[in-house]
Amino acid sequence: MMNINSALPAAPSVRPKASLRRFAWDLDLSQDELVQLLELTAALKRSPASYARALEGRYLSLLFEKPSLRTRLTFELAIKQLGGDAVFSNGLIAEREPLKDVARNLERWTHGIVARVFSQQTIEELARWSSVPVINALSDLYHPCQALADVFTLKEHFGQLRGLKLAFVGDGNNVAHSLMLTAPRLGVDLAVATPPGYAPNPEIAAVAAGLAAASGTSLTVTSEPAEALRGADAVYTDVWTSMGFEDQAEERRRVFQPYQVNQRLMEMAPGAVFLHCLPAKRGAEVTDEVIESPRSLVFEQAENRLHTQKALLLMMLD
Ligand code: CP
Ligand code: NVA
């Protein structure tokens, strides 16, 4: 769309040229862009005031089909702290009109679309029909914005990513998929332990295996938490029942019990930090003792959602 602010002073030179048109899944960000994003995030976090007008006059559409605390608020704050603003709409995106019409309305008013959806297909359709960038704020298959904050948090904590081992214990869900598509490209060994029948999507796992092979890291998918935890520097879990799967909650509570991240499990990875995307169900996938322990980085992750998304917006919005 036309830049309505061409008369305003130029944005600071620290702003990179926007080139990314969609972040529908993790691999829309190339390896170089991923590295660039982490560097830009560090600069943004160090010196937020330098970027206070970088996206002046830019507006985001936030379309959320599911609840959110972190994603919604960090996108709103990110765009506002960069000098822009956001409008929000909740409910099923295509309830009243086709997605292709929604996309062609939003591109006339705003400079980017951030959507949290039930089906990945909705993101793909929005991206197909919109001339402005589209960002996946969580779908049934991916949570790519979360993975960015997670790897940034690990880098911040350990100083470097290459050579680290991350163990994900729980459901082979959207959060697991995005970690599988992101961590190997940064040199992180990844092991995912899920109950049988809840393994990651095999097509996504095959892509992730290719990425791991290309970057010389190991990717393990197992049903044994002990195998995943051996030598881990970080242990990650997420809810057993994701949004949209509530009708399976009872069965999942039973099946996932041996995968609870508790003190006994954490002892299998001495010294490892604990990660969770939040919201957490204490007493289910994680105990209160673990999430409240000094090893827990969950609020660092939550804070870093803001900084990584600022970097993403700078790389995407014209
Ligand atoms: N981690 C995360 O995406 O949190 P919300 O569901 O609150 O956005
Ligand atoms: N896997 C969870 C993540 C929530 C941030 C869900 O999709 O509900």
Side-chain angles (χ1 to χ4, degrees):
M1 70 186 279
M2 203 176 80
N3 182 358
I4 54 172
N5 288 291
S6 47
L8 290 173
S13 56
V14 285
R15 187 178 166 214
K17 191 171 148 28
S19 58
L20 258 176
R21 302 314 294 170
R22 44 172 264 162
F23 191 44
W25 73 320
D26 308 79
L27 295 195
D28 284 331
L29 212 54
S30 71
Q31 181 141 350
D32 285 349
E33 287 164 338
L34 189 51
V35 170
Q36 184 195 349
L37 182 137
L38 296 181
E39 284 166 6
L40 182 56
T41 301
L44 279 154
K45 190 168 179 178
R46 239 186 347 260
S47 171
S50 310
Y51 298 83
R53 299 183 65 189
L55 291 182
E56 195 160 55
R58 309 309 196 286
Y59 299 95
L60 272 186
S61 294
L62 304 180
L63 307 182
F64 279 50
E65 294 186 328
K66 299 172 176 176
S68 171
L69 175 71
R70 280 147 291 274
T71 309
R72 175 185 173 175
L73 295 190
T74 52
F75 267 113
E76 284 196 22
L77 287 164
I79 185 80
K80 285 173 198 274
Q81 290 176 12
L82 294 170
D85 211 338
V87 286
F88 177 79
S89 167
N90 67 353
L92 291 179
I93 299 170
E95 188 155 44
R96 296 175 60 232
E97 55 193 306
L99 284 167
K100 62 183 180 182
D101 287 5
V102 174
R104 289 176 296 174
N105 276 263
L106 298 178
E107 70 181 12
R108 301 294 178 116
W109 307 323
T110 61
H111 302 80
I113 300 170
V114 177
R116 168 166 285 197
V117 297
F118 282 99
S119 163
Q120 177 67 18
Q121 205 45 44
T122 303
I123 295 284
E124 300 293 340
E125 274 291 282
L126 287 173
R128 177 169 167 229
W129 286 97
S130 156
S131 61
V132 298
V134 171
I135 296 174
N136 181 349
L138 181 149
S139 70
D140 53 340
L141 290 183
Y142 310 109
H143 197 359
C145 297
Q146 181 66 50
L148 296 179
D150 299 337
V151 290
F152 182 79
T153 304
L154 287 174
K155 185 159 194 264
E156 201 173 35
H157 184 81
F158 289 101
Q160 62 152 32
L161 289 168
R162 185 154 288 277
L164 292 180
K165 179 178 176 185
L166 172 62
F168 182 94
V169 180
D171 187 20
N173 64 12
N174 46 8
V175 170
H177 290 158
S178 283
L179 288 171
M180 291 168 72
L181 296 173
T182 302
R185 292 191 289 154
L186 295 164
V188 177
D189 293 328
L190 181 60
V192 179
T194 73
Y198 294 89
N201 175 302
E203 284 169 31
I204 298 171
V207 173
L211 297 171
S215 72
T217 64
S218 74
L219 175 68
T220 310
V221 177
T222 173
S223 56
E224 295 298 329
E227 185 187 349
L229 285 160
R230 200 172 308 123
D233 300 290
V235 180
Y236 198 126
T237 192
D238 182 18
V239 288
W240 292 338
T241 302
S242 286
M243 293 179 279
F245 296 83
E246 288 81 1
D247 58 334
Q248 302 173 11
E250 203 181 310
E251 168 77 356
R252 283 169 173 266
R253 257 195 303 279
R254 194 179 52 73
V255 173
F256 280 84
Q257 209 57 55
Y259 295 79
Q260 181 188 67
V261 178
N262 50 33
Q263 205 48 47
R264 185 187 57 80
L265 217 81
M266 288 300 284
E267 276 162 19
M268 295 182 196
V273 297
F274 173 73
L275 302 176
H276 193 306
C277 56
L278 303 179
K281 283 220 171 358
R282 288 163 161 82
E285 77 273 6
V286 61
T287 57
D288 194 58
E289 190 182 17
V290 168
I291 199 168
E292 297 295 344
S293 75
R295 299 165 75 171
S296 172
L297 298 184
V298 299
F299 299 111
E300 278 74 12
Q301 287 172 270
E303 176 184 341
N304 287 332
R305 295 293 304 276
L306 174 68
H307 307 298
T308 44
Q309 286 160 203
K310 279 186 182 175
L312 186 66
L313 293 175
L314 283 175
M315 290 171 67
M316 293 190 76
L317 266 52
D318 285 325

